[in-house]
Amino acid sequence: MMTAADISQTSSTTSLATILRRYAGVGAALVALILFLSVTQENFLKYNNIMNILRTNSVMFVAAVGLTFVIISQGLDLSVGSMTALGGVFLAELLTSGVGAWPAIALTILACTFLGAVVNGGLIAYGGFNFFVVTLAMMQLLRGAALVISNGVPASTFMWDPVQWVGDGVVAGLPVPVVLAVLIGILGYAVMRWTRFGRSVYAVGGNETAARLAGINVKQVRVAVYGISAACAGVSAIMLTGRLTSSQPVSAALGLELSAAAAVLLGGASFSGGAGNIGGTAIGVLFLSVLANGITLAGVPSYWQGIATGAVLIAAIALDRIRAK
């Protein structure tokens, strides 16, 4: 008969094996890429370049944290990039209309959260619509709204110091966007790892019927995860607007949803739901960030980054299928 110690040891061994199987591929690829760039690019390991990688990709990481909740629950949010663009436009409109910087920041996050929870989450959970159709429609609708509100013209936010501080400030020698990204990542990990809501997200993604029979309010969970995704997009909007010193309704966050989804899938999440975590998402974001930085340092034209991201997304989906088998 197995003792409690034997069961605990077996569980620990199984968990370790699962972690190694899930992250060995992308982890090994990340290490190999870092070693290759360290040898071939003399500027890669310099402090300024490392900080540039982290600062530039903090927006994608924050968006990916929110998307992790959605994908684990067996969904997908294609409106993340457009939500970020609209959030930047909404923030600029509030600022130029006389609203204070901090209230404008809070209102932007609340507005994005409301749109994500009520429209995306509401239509999917209570309306019975397919998540792909809803978020694809919202991707077009929100981007169009950003263009209509702004007339397609960027609005400067340079005069508002709090916005600039969030996007490009420094605290304790570290870029503020990086600090915010780390804090949001830790918060997301804690929620997924140690709260009842986090366990409910995994349950809904793993088996919706079983979760419902276990007493979990599946509809509320779905509304919540799309609200979280939109809230993270709102934070990303503020960070991006501050870094660019203006709203960018046309070019802001183009392709952000695909890059974030690729990072989440590379980090061990699955389209079939019920698997993944914020730590894995961080690894996926780091891989994409280092890859993009390596392409830039090598002098390769920037448009090749889109090809590389698309190839990585295909590889991530293939890896997801292999893990499922």
Side-chain angles (χ1 to χ4, degrees), residues 57-297:
N57 293 281
S58 57
V59 169
M60 179 170 66
F61 177 66
V62 171
V65 168
L67 199 56
T68 302
F69 282 82
V70 176
I71 291 179
I72 290 176
S73 71
Q74 202 178 50
L76 183 63
D77 188 356
L78 294 174
S79 66
V80 169
S82 297
M83 186 75 75
T84 300
L86 180 60
V89 170
F90 184 69
L91 175 64
E93 289 293 319
L94 289 175
L95 294 173
T96 54
S97 65
V99 179
W102 290 114
I105 289 172
L107 287 171
T108 298
I109 297 173
L110 288 174
C112 290
T113 305
F114 177 82
L115 285 173
V118 174
V119 181
N120 285 349
L123 289 175
I124 293 167
Y126 292 96
F129 290 84
N130 180 274
F131 64 81
F132 183 84
V133 174
V134 172
T135 59
L136 180 63
M138 285 295 286
M139 178 178 72
Q140 297 296 329
L141 190 153
L142 296 177
R143 182 71 67 170
L147 292 171
V148 169
I149 294 172
S150 64
N151 289 319
V153 178
S156 175
T157 59
F158 184 76
M159 297 294 294
W160 290 270
D161 292 337
V163 177
Q164 302 309 117
W165 182 79
V166 170
D168 202 30
V170 177
V171 58
L174 294 173
V176 171
V178 176
V179 175
L180 286 175
V182 170
L183 291 176
I184 291 172
I186 292 173
L187 178 61
Y189 179 85
V191 169
M192 294 299 297
R193 181 70 176 82
W194 292 304
T195 68
R196 182 177 180 179
F197 172 74
R199 292 190 291 272
S200 297
V201 174
Y202 280 107
V204 170
N207 190 319
E208 181 177 323
T209 302
R212 185 179 293 108
L213 293 175
I216 295 173
N217 192 320
V218 174
K219 292 181 179 180
Q220 287 185 1
V221 171
R222 293 210 179 278
V223 169
V225 296
Y226 282 97
I228 291 171
S229 178
C232 289
V235 175
S236 295
I238 296 162
M239 295 165 64
L240 183 61
T241 302
R243 193 180 79 209
L244 299 176
T245 69
S246 65
S247 63
Q248 299 290 330
V250 177
S251 60
L254 282 175
L256 177 62
E257 59 283 326
L258 297 182
S259 297
V264 176
L265 293 173
L266 281 172
S270 171
F271 274 138
S272 59
N277 60 55
I278 304 300
T281 295
I283 295 174
V285 170
L286 276 176
F287 179 82
L288 293 177
S289 304
V290 171
L291 178 63
N293 183 255
I295 291 174
T296 301
L297 291 177

Side-chain angles (χ1 to χ4, degrees), residues 28-50:
L30 176 60
V31 172
L33 182 60
I34 290 174
L35 291 175
F36 174 76
L37 292 175
S38 300
V39 173
T40 60
Q41 304 296 328
E42 61 179 359
N43 293 324
F44 176 72
L45 287 179
K46 290 185 177 180
Y47 177 81
N48 288 338
N49 186 60
I50 293 174

